[in-house]
């Protein structure tokens, strides 16, 4: 709760005014002309800010260095409501940042980079501005990805200690960052003590007594035998089963042999898992990302929803502000049904990945990929989710640890990568961004390639990890974090501005969407978003090559000026009366 209180206090930063030092004592005509040109540019920028409802001011001294790189003229006060419509950064610790030189990322490495994610200081503009972190699995596991848990109560030694984790939560709280953990309820590791105990008992027949006197419990007396799905004849339902040693039994493992599925019908198992959730919530995590929710009972939506309802009731019973998001990797008509469970969020696969609306809108031409189709798709998703569960929160993303990265999906096209990032970040709900997407990292093919080391620097390798074993050589088309921070037109600075605009305008994440049907240009997506009586206009120019001039009547929409904008090539969005001039691949907010 302290985290939430801190976030509520954050927010008194005015936009950064551009400071221009006038040249004096000019000795040549050239110097005089240069000075005149700079004065004219400064006056134009100051006038633009004044026309759009902003008062000129003096920038904070702590921002001086940033201003040299980022002279964006539309910064507003931060306005982040105290709710679960936030902006999350997905972190794979193994590949993120190494603090001890072993080549594997760890908790202390993440702590060292928290100021990169969000420094918690509204007077600075050197952080990305994420308000949450989704940590991929950190519990003890024999695999590099750690989705096969061997101990639900332990930090994997490769990542650090429980004391390290407690310090992470403490440091995140200081910065107003919520942390959610990946929680795997579908299966454990085959090395988990529950499973190992069950294997031993499967070889011991029912002892025929009320109590078992053997050193190892027989099959009837070992409760762990019913924690998993053991059978003596393999069902013909499409599930995957593997021999449980030479016992004559088989166990279900829908993913791989090393991940035996849990029997979530078992009330004793559920009590064990409640204890696990309570343990981590009591340590200060804000909630969980629920892995593989449609696999709890393979493709049985009603039974899977019952599990999600149980989890939701327990987690919200601990604190109504806790947050849950589930992975249900299927089409919208199916995954939208999972909102019947009452859970906060389901990842929005309709817009994410190479097959989603964002990628198709940018990669293909034709009426079915027009701006209006994109806008109406956002409306359709919002209305259907709200119809099923009025308190639900959409969970948009573009890529994650299981998908190819944006650079590959968009064929290394920097302008498309930027635009895709903005289209995702300007979605309603609780948006997720995969680490490294803010600098356009590459990675496709085998899973290890999608989880390559965060590209911090090529000069200072202290933070760099080695990445997963088996990872192929991955070449990045764009610069490191270190390099992109110094480039005002980089993907990094584009992302930073996009997140800033999202954090300044609560309507973006929370507003009810309507389409502006009078705007018929197929390259333009024109919507309004209304939240608590406050409305914004959002115009997207989805053309890669054409500048667009769009008329927006002030009498009808009651706006006064530009609230913020993004453009892939850095060209300014202009407002001339009621005409908005949008450069290629740009988005503007009017209010």
């Amino acid at each position: 709760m302290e985290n939430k209180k801190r976030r509520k206090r954050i927010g008194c930063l005015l936009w950064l005014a551009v400071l221009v030092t006038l040249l004096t004592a000019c000795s040549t005509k050239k110097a005089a002309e240069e000075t005149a040109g700079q004065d004219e540019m400064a006056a134009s920028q100051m006038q633009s800010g004044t026309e759009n409802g902003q008062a000129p001011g003096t920038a904070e001294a702590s921002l001086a260095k940033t201003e040299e790189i980022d002279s964006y003229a539309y910064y507003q006060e931060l306005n982040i409501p105290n709710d679960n419509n936030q902006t999350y950064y997905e972190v794979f610790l193994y590949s993120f940042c190494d603090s001890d030189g072993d080549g594997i990322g760890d908790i202390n490495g993440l702590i060292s980079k928290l100021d990169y994610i969000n420094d918690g200081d509204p007077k600075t503009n050197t952080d990305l501005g994420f308000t949450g972190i989704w940590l991929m699995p950190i519990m003890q596991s024999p695999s590099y990805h750690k989705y096969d848990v061997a101990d639900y109560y332990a930090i994997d030694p490769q990542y650090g200690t429980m004391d390290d984790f407690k310090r992470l939560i403490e440091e995140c709280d200081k910065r107003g960052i919520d942390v959610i953990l990946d929680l795997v309820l579908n299966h454990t590791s085959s090395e988990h003590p529950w499973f190992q105990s069950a294997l031993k008992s499967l070889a011991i027949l029912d002892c025929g007594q009320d109590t078992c006197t053997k050193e190892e419990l027989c099959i009837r007396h070992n409760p762990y035998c019913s924690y998993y799905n053991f059978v003596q004849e393999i069902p013909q339902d499409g599930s995957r089963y593997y021999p449980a040693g030479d016992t004559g039994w088989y166990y279900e493992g829908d993913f791989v042999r090393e991940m035996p599925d849990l029997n979530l019908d078992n009330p004793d198992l559920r009590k064990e898992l409640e204890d696990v959730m309570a343990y981590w919530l009591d340590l200060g995590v804000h909630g969980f990302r629920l892995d593989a929710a449609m696999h709890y009972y393979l493709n049985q939506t009603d039974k899977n929803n019952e599990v999600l309802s149980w989890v939701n009731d327990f987690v919200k019973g601990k604190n109504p502000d806790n947050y849950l998001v589930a992975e249900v990797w299927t089409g919208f008509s199916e995954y939208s049904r999972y909102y019947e469970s009452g859970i906060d969020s389901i990842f929005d696969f309709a817009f994410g990945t190479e097959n989603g609306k964002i990628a198709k809108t940018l990669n293909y031409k034709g009426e079915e990929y027009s701006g209006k189709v994109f806008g109406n798709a956002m409306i359709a998703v919002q209305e259907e989710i709200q119809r099923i569960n009025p308190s639900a929160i959409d969970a948009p993303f573009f890529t994650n640890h299981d998908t190819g990265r944006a650079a590959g999906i968009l064929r290394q096209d920097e302008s498309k990568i930027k635009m895709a990032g903005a289209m995702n970040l300007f979605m309603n709900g609780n948006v997720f961004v995969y680490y490294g997407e803010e600098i356009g990292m590459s990675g496709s093919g085998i899973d290890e390639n999608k989880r390559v080391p965060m590209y911090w620097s090529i000069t200072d390798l202290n933070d760099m990890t080695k990445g997963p074993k088996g990872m192929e050589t991955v070449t990045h088309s764009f610069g490191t974090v270190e390099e992109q921070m110094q480039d005002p037109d980089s993907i990094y600075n584009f992302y930073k501005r996009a997140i800033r605009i999202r954090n300044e305008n609560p309507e973006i994440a929370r507003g009810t969407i309507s389409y502006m049907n009078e705007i018929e240009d197929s390259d333009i997506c024109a919507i309004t978003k209304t939240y608590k009586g406050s409305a914004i206009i959002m115009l997207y120019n989805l053309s890669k090559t054409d500048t667009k001039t769009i008329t927006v009547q002030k009498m009808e929409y009651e706006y006064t000026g530009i609230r913020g904008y993004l453009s892939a090539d850095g060209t300014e969005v202009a407002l001339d009366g009621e005409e908005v001039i949008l450069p290629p691949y740009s988005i503007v907010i009017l209010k």
Side-chain angles (χ1 to χ4, degrees):
M1 295 301 293
E2 180 62 28
N3 180 3
K4 293 294 186 182
K5 292 176 183 177
R6 176 175 295 277
R7 182 179 298 156
K8 206 168 184 179
R9 293 196 296 266
I10 292 176
C12 293
L13 178 64
L14 296 175
W15 61 275
L16 302 179
V18 178
L19 301 178
V20 180
T21 304
L22 300 179
L23 300 178
T24 57
C26 301
S27 59
T28 65
K29 180 180 179 181
K30 178 179 179 181
E33 291 173 345
E34 289 177 350
T35 302
Q38 291 179 357
D39 287 343
E40 182 179 354
M41 179 179 69
S44 174
Q45 289 175 322
M46 292 296 288
Q47 179 67 23
S48 173
T50 304
E51 287 176 353
N52 289 288
Q54 302 173 26
T58 301
E60 296 284 346
S62 62
L63 295 176
K65 184 175 181 181
T66 302
E67 288 174 9
E68 297 173 9
I69 305 302
D70 190 352
S71 59
Y72 181 70
Y74 288 94
Y75 284 112
Q76 312 288 333
E77 294 181 4
L78 293 174
N79 187 356
I80 308 173
N82 180 15
D83 61 16
N84 279 321
N85 294 267
Q86 299 299 322
T87 315
Y88 271 73
Y89 191 60
E90 180 190 357
V91 174
F92 177 43
L93 272 182
Y94 197 96
S95 292
F96 193 64
C97 180
D98 176 22
S99 72
D100 57 13
D102 66 356
I104 297 173
D106 46 49
I107 293 171
N108 286 326
L110 173 57
I111 292 172
S112 74
K113 297 297 184 181
L114 287 180
D115 285 350
Y116 169 81
I117 297 170
N118 188 336
D119 65 9
D121 186 350
K123 296 180 181 179
T124 67
N125 191 42
T126 54
D127 59 299
L128 284 165
F130 286 101
T131 52
I133 293 173
W134 157 22
L135 271 181
M136 288 173 63
I138 61 171
M139 299 167 192
Q140 187 170 324
S141 166
S143 68
Y144 83 91
H145 53 70
K146 312 203 185 302
Y147 276 100
D148 49 342
V149 178
D151 186 345
Y152 280 107
Y153 294 96
I155 301 292
D156 192 283
Q158 290 182 319
Y159 287 168
T161 67
M162 188 57 72
D163 285 340
D164 295 334
F165 180 76
K166 291 176 181 178
R167 190 163 71 92
L168 171 66
I169 296 297
E170 180 181 336
E171 292 298 324
C172 285
D173 284 346
K174 291 178 182 178
R175 294 164 174 81
I177 301 172
D178 288 326
V179 176
I180 63 172
L181 293 186
D182 226 315
L183 182 62
V184 186
L185 301 179
N186 180 67
H187 52 261
T188 68
S189 167
S190 57
E191 296 184 14
H192 196 290
W194 297 343
F195 188 73
Q196 289 296 310
S197 176
L199 286 184
K200 292 177 182 177
S201 293
L202 289 177
I204 304 173
L205 298 178
D206 185 344
C207 66
Q209 302 178 40
D210 291 337
T211 59
C212 195
T213 58
K214 297 181 179 294
E215 183 178 344
E216 294 290 347
L217 296 177
C218 75
I219 187 172
R220 181 161 68 96
H221 289 98
N222 188 344
Y224 299 134
C225 289
S226 58
Y227 277 24
Y228 298 88
N229 298 314
F230 291 111
V231 297
Q232 290 184 296
E233 293 185 8
I234 299 177
Q236 300 300 312
D237 62 356
S239 302
R240 301 181 190 177
Y241 281 80
Y242 301 94
D246 57 1
T247 64
W249 290 81
Y250 299 86
Y251 65 90
E252 184 180 17
D254 196 48
F255 286 98
V256 294
R257 179 187 297 270
E258 293 80 13
M259 296 179 178
D261 285 6
L262 289 167
N263 172 23
L264 291 169
D265 282 334
N266 186 306
D268 293 330
L269 170 63
R270 289 199 181 194
K271 179 59 174 66
E272 294 253 26
L273 295 174
E274 286 177 353
D275 291 344
V276 169
M277 290 186 281
Y279 177 78
W280 292 100
L281 291 170
D282 290 345
L283 284 173
V285 305
H286 183 56
F288 303 103
R289 180 262 185 186
L290 301 173
D291 180 61
M294 67 182 294
H295 292 265
Y296 296 154
Y297 301 93
L298 187 60
N299 299 323
Q300 298 183 55
T301 302
D302 290 341
K303 294 194 72 173
N304 292 332
N305 270 339
E306 187 279 324
V307 175
L308 292 178
S309 293
W310 155 63
V311 173
N312 186 65
D313 290 345
F314 180 80
V315 170
K316 294 304 178 72
K318 294 283 290 182
N319 185 337
D321 292 333
N322 287 337
Y323 176 71
L324 290 169
V325 56
E327 177 202 29
V328 182
W329 196 331
T330 186
F332 179 69
S333 62
E334 180 61 26
Y335 77 70
S336 62
R337 289 187 56 202
Y338 280 74
Y339 279 105
E340 296 170 5
S341 67
I343 194 175
D344 293 305
S345 299
I346 310 293
F347 281 114
D348 192 344
F349 280 91
F351 282 79
T353 81
E354 68 273 16
N355 296 315
K357 287 288 184 183
I358 292 175
K360 287 183 175 180
T361 300
L362 294 174
N363 278 338
Y364 300 108
K365 296 296 182 183
E367 282 303 313
E368 61 182 309
Y369 308 113
S370 69
K372 188 169 186 177
V373 169
F374 183 78
N376 283 331
M378 288 192 284
I379 294 171
V381 166
Q382 182 178 68
E383 290 180 347
E384 180 64 6
I385 291 174
Q386 293 299 302
R387 182 190 69 80
I388 297 171
N389 178 2
S391 63
I393 302 166
D394 194 12
F397 72 103
F398 186 46
T399 66
N400 65 27
H401 62 281
D402 286 324
T403 74
R405 286 187 174 273
I409 293 172
L410 302 171
R411 304 178 182 92
Q412 311 298 323
D413 186 322
E414 182 174 348
S415 61
K416 285 186 177 181
I417 293 168
K418 289 177 177 178
M419 195 63 179
M423 291 164 77
N424 179 48
L425 284 163
F426 286 174
M427 292 275 288
N428 279 56
N430 197 346
V431 168
F432 290 81
V433 175
Y434 189 36
Y435 81 94
E437 292 298 89
E438 75 275 17
I439 56 170
M441 282 172 52
S442 295
S444 61
I446 61 174
D447 284 343
E448 289 82 354
N449 293 355
K450 302 166 186 173
R451 305 160 189 177
V452 297
M454 180 65 176
Y455 198 34
W456 294 110
S457 174
I458 56 175
T459 58
D460 183 359
L461 303 181
N462 289 330
D463 295 335
M464 294 290 290
T465 69
K466 294 178 181 177
K469 184 179 179 180
M471 176 187 72
E472 299 169 340
T473 300
V474 175
T475 301
H476 303 298
S477 298
F478 309 101
T480 64
V481 170
E482 182 179 56
E483 294 167 322
Q484 291 198 36
M485 279 183 165
Q486 304 306 314
D487 178 3
D489 295 323
S490 66
I491 299 170
Y492 166 84
N493 275 304
F494 185 92
Y495 259 81
K496 189 173 72 170
R497 281 191 285 272
I499 297 167
R500 176 80 196 198
I501 291 172
R502 181 178 172 86
N503 286 340
E504 292 169 349
N505 298 281
E507 301 91 342
I508 293 176
R510 301 159 184 85
T512 299
I513 311 170
S514 297
Y515 204 84
M516 302 165 66
N517 287 305
E518 71 276 15
I519 298 176
E520 298 180 345
D521 189 317
S522 63
D523 287 327
I524 299 297
C525 173
I527 61 174
T528 63
K529 291 190 178 185
T530 305
Y531 171 69
K532 291 187 175 181
S534 176
I536 60 172
I537 298 161
M538 301 181 71
L539 302 177
Y540 301 62
N541 182 2
L542 298 170
S543 171
K544 179 178 172 60
T545 57
D546 297 339
T547 296
K548 302 284 183 173
T549 299
I550 304 298
T551 299
V552 181
Q553 296 184 4
K554 289 187 176 180
M555 182 174 293
E556 180 176 356
Y557 290 101
E558 299 182 342
Y559 66 96
T560 58
I562 293 175
R563 179 75 177 182
Y565 75 86
L566 295 164
S567 65
D569 66 1
T571 302
E572 183 176 2
V573 173
L575 177 62
D576 183 4
E578 294 185 334
E579 291 189 334
V580 185
I581 298 95
L582 291 160
Y585 279 165
S586 62
I587 305 176
V588 67
I589 313 293
L590 304 177
K591 187 174 181 179

